[in-house]
Amino acid sequence: MKITKVECLTVHPGWRKNLIFVRVETDAGIVGWGEAYSQYDRDRAIAAQVEELGRYVVGRDPFQIRHICQVAFDDYAQRRASLEFHCAVSGIEQALWDIVGKATEQPVYNLLGGKTRERIRVYANGWGYKLREVADYARAAEKVVESGFTAMKLDPLPRPWRTFIPRQHIRQSVDIIRGIRDAVGPDVDILLDIHRRLAPMHAIELANALAEFEPYWFEEPCQSENIQALAEVRASSPIPTVTGEALYGRAGFRPVLRERAVDIINPDVANCGGILELMYIAAAAETEMIACSPHNYNSTTLALSATVHASACMPNFIITEYFIPFEELGAKLCSNPLKPVDGYITLPDGPGLGLDVNEEAVRSMPGKPFPKRDLPLPENEGPRNTALSKAF
């Protein structure tokens, strides 16, 4: 069997960013699907990388997944990787596993060594987008719990994203998380996402201020490339720390794992290099007794299914991400999307990734540019945004 075509299909979901699907055809009539991670204003660059790399995948055996990925890095990229490169590899790699699973009539998790669990726990994200008032967060959180989730994630800090913040930002975050905890009770897990924003001194202050509400974790308090900063926060934070969504491939995770700079890693199957690379990263973390919680700011179809298949085979898996705002779109793009029940997704049992993609629907919603965002100007900066929370 040979690959005859690699196609990149961008989809406009109507919220936040375009999605990038990868369709791979073979001469045996088997079609595989995958998904590449995307970001607003960068999706066209990622799609272009899928198309360029796809030219070198045509003519190859889809079963040779490991070699295809190695050639992509060594020879195509000449060992100069990037976000766009890793996203492209991830989408294509998932599609190859989908083909292999369909050809062998096996779900992908069986081909990865077999499942270690029947259900995958998920947390809700996207539910707090653009909320400002504490009461609004509380009401939205209650709705998330009413829909069956037992865990939810949010970023409690106000914008803009800056390294040094005023104490008021910390107070506001405390008010928001207190309101949510009072609304949902003690048994719902609240996950905090800091989005690589803060200097260690502010991250530690924020973690200590929020500890009384018993958050499940404290995600990406500092830039993930600064291992020493992450380790400093982990050493002083009463909340378990997380990093990984902006790290790519095993090499990107190596310094974090070697230094035990966090308690949990969250690589994304749609940008870390794909399903097999995610398994390698998780296995490396397992040897350091670090948990793995795959990131999934992607659709509730292909990337979610790829994440579920990989997570099923990870002994150190704890929870993964589910984006509520993409749920309605997922039902249009796939006749059997994975749906959480009581906060868990049951493993699919169909071949490959186990999804029936509605190709006509995918092609009917092509990606398009989003409106230009209102990014800050120098006059928007000032003491209010840059004042330090503590004196030196």
Side-chain angles (χ1 to χ4, degrees), residues 15-307:
W15 185 78
R16 294 295 295 267
K17 65 173 187 173
N18 289 313
L19 303 175
I20 298 177
F21 289 173
V22 180
R23 181 182 181 275
V24 177
E25 286 185 20
T26 68
D27 58 6
I30 299 174
V31 173
W33 290 86
E35 183 175 348
Y37 177 83
S38 65
Q39 291 184 328
Y40 32 50
D41 300 328
R42 297 173 74 174
D43 53 288
R44 285 185 293 175
I46 294 167
Q49 192 73 187
V50 173
E51 293 168 355
E52 291 296 333
L53 177 57
R55 297 188 302 143
Y56 295 89
V57 175
V58 170
R60 293 179 178 269
D61 182 343
F63 276 77
Q64 296 173 354
I65 297 173
R66 189 68 193 87
H67 187 254
I68 289 172
C69 291
Q70 193 66 46
V71 166
F73 181 65
D74 288 346
D75 304 298
Y76 168 80
Q78 297 185 328
R79 298 194 174 188
R80 298 182 69 170
S82 66
L83 167 67
E84 292 76 15
F85 169 77
H86 283 292
C87 291
V89 171
S90 299
I92 291 171
E93 194 260 12
Q94 293 168 38
L96 298 182
W97 278 109
D98 195 32
I99 289 170
V100 171
K102 290 172 179 176
T104 59
E105 299 184 347
Q106 290 291 328
V108 169
Y109 55 77
N110 276 354
L111 305 177
L112 296 173
K115 60 190 177 185
T116 61
R117 58 185 53 81
E118 295 284 349
R119 301 188 303 164
I120 303 298
R121 192 182 183 205
V122 297
Y123 61 83
N125 203 351
W127 59 273
Y129 183 59
K130 286 191 174 181
L131 298 181
R132 295 290 182 267
E133 302 300 323
V134 173
D136 295 332
Y137 275 102
R139 283 193 294 269
E142 287 176 335
K143 291 181 180 178
V144 171
V145 175
E146 289 169 2
S147 67
F149 290 95
T150 60
M152 60 183 71
K153 188 168 84 173
L154 76 154
D155 183 338
L157 287 168
R159 291 178 181 268
W161 293 11
R162 293 295 181 267
T163 307
F164 306 103
I165 60 172
R167 178 163 280 119
Q168 178 55 34
H169 287 193
I170 292 178
R171 292 176 184 144
Q172 183 174 336
S173 298
V174 170
D175 289 343
I176 289 170
I177 301 305
R178 178 183 289 113
I180 292 172
R181 177 57 77 200
D182 288 345
V184 303
D187 298 326
V188 173
D189 287 319
I190 300 174
L191 290 66
L192 305 175
D193 191 352
I194 311 304
H195 284 115
R196 306 169 295 285
R197 295 199 197 189
L198 301 178
M201 62 177 178
H202 297 312
I204 292 167
E205 185 176 2
L206 179 61
N208 284 321
L210 295 173
E212 66 175 291
F213 308 112
E214 300 183 318
Y216 187 83
W217 75 32
F218 195 55
E219 180 180 337
E220 299 213 300
C222 310
Q223 288 186 323
S224 52
E225 299 89 349
N226 194 324
I227 307 304
Q228 290 75 21
L230 286 170
E232 182 180 345
V233 174
R234 184 196 177 219
S236 300
S237 171
I239 311 169
T241 57
V242 184
T243 201
E245 69 174 85
L247 298 175
Y248 315 115
R250 283 163 286 168
F253 284 84
R254 181 171 178 263
V256 173
L257 299 177
R258 287 190 69 184
E259 298 299 324
R260 293 191 51 78
V262 294
D263 303 287
I264 304 161
I265 57 167
N266 66 332
D268 192 314
V269 74
N271 69 28
C272 75
I275 293 171
L276 194 57
E277 194 71 14
L278 176 57
M279 294 294 298
Y280 289 148
I281 294 166
E286 184 185 355
T287 66
E288 301 296 336
M289 291 186 286
I290 292 173
C292 186
S293 172
H295 180 264
N296 191 51
Y297 178 25
N298 306 298
S299 80
T300 58
T301 58
L302 294 164
L304 175 62
S305 185
T307 299

